Amino acid sequence: MGSFAKTHKGAVLYGAQDLRIEDCITTTPEDHQVQIRVRATGICGTDMHYFQNGRNGIYVVKEPLILGHEAAGEISAVGKNVTEFKIGDRVLMEPQRPCEKCVVCRRGRYNLCDQMKFSGSASCYPMVQGSLQQLYNHAASFVYRLPDNISFVEGALVEPLAVALHAVRRSGVENGQSVLILGAGAVGLLCAGAAKIAGASTVNIVDIDQGKLNFALGKGTKDGKGIADKAYRIPLSPNEGESRTDFAARIADETLAQPGFGLVDVVFECTGVDTCMNIAIQCATKGGKVVMVGLGTPVQSLNIGLAGVHEVDLLGIWRYANTFPTAIELLRTGQIDLKPMITHTFDLEKAADALKFTLSRPDNLVKCVITCK
């Protein structure tokens, strides 16, 4: 079973930009759970929204919430019905907690479960506490062993890699197909890498941040190897007097006119911005696909008419299902290297500083991870 301290440290969010390091009550894992001594947690866009605004879209922090869901650590205790793990095992967690009983779960698409509970999120009540704490209990069925050649910090990035793999699976990318990525953040970069592994012959990427595009091309990395073949920086906002519709059309035309660019078989839209969705539709070849990876404004004005007459399929993405084992194997075998993406780390005691730093969006930031000793 393991021994239990009475309290442990955690980063608790009380409201917008009000994050406090506090003593949290340490609870014994339930019969089907394991207790994880968390060693690393990646900062995700949802964590940033909760920290900055006290909410993530429609989900509002109404009571103290521990953020974090991209996590790895080691087993410190096991519930009495858990036989597949032992104290000391190096692990990472899949932060979803579906009911595992409904029709959707039984079909294998448990990410769409109506009873889903997600770590570090206000999307259900009572809210499920996250991994920005020293000790964390989680269902053993959604915990995976971390291979010895993968660090805890790398293990924390398996979760966003799982998102990318789910997106690529949904897209059905085939050998020799062309891909465009809109958004060179962590998930966009991982979508590029996953598309390459799936067989895409050309993967280009666009973003408003030249620093991220340089990283995608391998500039400044130790080995000089890039994830993308070509990159193009697009402007942040329209010209004065230019409508958003005209802006999207102009940027699409400018992007397609760049050397090495052109209409593509699959576009991964990783920003959630409606302008970028319209750019994506206009950059997809006839009969192509646009995968909606980024989550932005719920109601958007999209060029559905063009998508319709060009038979461009619009595919939604909601988290992931059954992709963690594949993600771990890709890391274990060296087919994807996450180390260059980890550009900044902070200790748990400095969690608020880490979130503020990430919100400042410095040029050299790709992924920030909070570690716990």
Side-chain angles (χ1 to χ4, degrees):
M1 288 289 294
S3 59
F4 301 97
K6 293 182 180 180
T7 62
H8 61 271
K9 296 294 183 182
V12 185
L13 183 70
Y14 281 83
Q17 302 190 44
D18 182 7
L19 189 76
R20 312 172 194 175
I21 302 300
E22 296 185 343
D23 289 326
C24 303
I25 297 175
T26 304
T27 59
T28 302
E30 298 178 18
D31 293 350
H32 67 292
Q33 291 182 327
V34 295
Q35 184 184 85
I36 300 171
R37 183 170 294 280
V38 180
R39 297 303 188 187
T41 295
I43 295 180
C44 175
T46 58
D47 299 318
M48 294 163 61
H49 286 304
Y50 279 124
F51 176 74
Q52 184 175 29
N53 306 311
R55 64 188 302 155
N56 181 33
I58 63 173
Y59 303 123
V60 180
V61 176
K62 297 179 179 179
E63 60 184 35
L65 174 66
I66 298 176
L67 300 175
H69 59 269
E70 304 175 359
E74 54 198 354
I75 301 291
S76 54
V78 297
K80 69 178 184 180
N81 292 337
V82 176
T83 59
E84 63 269 40
F85 295 107
K86 66 181 185 301
I87 295 173
D89 284 347
R90 302 171 73 252
V91 296
L92 55 87
M93 71 163 197
E94 178 174 346
Q96 302 187 107
R97 302 185 186 190
C99 73
E100 301 185 72
K101 299 176 182 178
C102 68
V103 171
V104 172
C105 284
R106 293 200 302 270
R107 288 175 178 168
R109 303 186 71 174
Y110 58 85
N111 56 314
L112 305 177
C113 176
D114 286 336
Q115 304 302 314
M116 175 65 72
K117 296 180 180 179
F118 197 81
S119 301
S121 171
S123 58
C124 65
Y125 189 85
M127 298 183 296
V128 179
Q129 302 301 321
S131 60
L132 279 180
Q133 53 183 318
Q134 292 175 320
L135 297 172
Y136 175 82
N137 295 340
H138 199 68
S141 57
F142 284 89
V143 172
Y144 304 86
R145 279 189 172 79
L146 186 67
D148 291 337
N149 64 331
I150 303 175
S151 69
F152 290 125
V153 177
E154 292 172 86
L157 268 65
V158 166
E159 197 270 354
L161 177 55
V163 173
L165 289 174
H166 184 60
V168 170
R169 283 183 181 178
R170 287 273 287 152
S171 76
V173 169
E174 299 176 356
N175 288 333
Q177 287 193 320
S178 54
V179 166
L180 175 64
I181 310 288
L182 294 179
V187 172
L189 295 170
L190 291 170
C191 282
K196 283 276 190 179
I197 291 173
S201 59
T202 302
V203 177
N204 293 339
I205 193 164
V206 302
D207 197 276
I208 61 173
D209 186 328
Q210 188 61 51
K212 290 181 178 179
L213 295 176
N214 289 341
F215 181 88
L217 292 172
K219 297 179 180 179
T221 59
K222 290 183 178 180
D223 58 10
K225 294 181 180 179
I227 298 173
D229 297 299
K230 299 288 183 180
Y232 176 58
R233 186 176 69 84
I234 61 176
L236 175 63
S237 55
N239 294 327
E240 185 177 353
E242 185 178 35
S243 70
R244 294 177 67 85
T245 299
D246 290 342
F247 176 51
R250 176 171 65 86
I251 298 305
D253 288 342
E254 291 178 0
T255 299
L256 295 173
Q258 298 304 307
F261 281 74
L263 294 172
V264 298
D265 298 300
V266 181
V267 184
F268 292 91
E269 203 301 293
C270 301
T271 72
V273 178
D274 58 354
T275 299
C276 289
M277 267 300 297
N278 282 312
I279 294 171
I281 291 170
Q282 294 172 71
C283 288
T285 191
K286 292 181 178 180
K289 299 175 182 177
V290 173
V291 186
M292 298 178 286
V293 185
L295 293 177
T297 305
V299 179
Q300 301 185 3
S301 177
L302 303 181
N303 195 341
I304 297 299
L306 181 63
V309 298
H310 285 181
E311 292 193 359
V312 173
D313 295 340
L314 305 181
L315 300 174
I317 293 298
W318 183 240
R319 295 174 181 153
Y320 37 75
N322 306 302
T323 55
F324 266 67
T326 302
I328 294 168
E329 185 64 9
L330 289 175
L331 277 179
R332 187 190 69 81
T333 57
Q335 295 181 68
I336 283 187
D337 183 8
L338 297 178
K339 291 188 289 293
M341 294 182 62
I342 305 163
T343 53
H344 298 82
T345 59
F346 287 77
D347 292 334
L348 178 64
E349 296 283 344
K350 300 293 185 180
D353 292 339
L355 286 158
K356 291 176 183 177
F357 174 80
T358 305
L359 282 171
S360 72
R361 302 183 187 278
D363 290 340
N364 60 345
L365 171 67
V366 179
K367 190 70 175 181
C368 182
V369 178
I370 295 174
T371 59
C372 191
K373 298 176 181 178

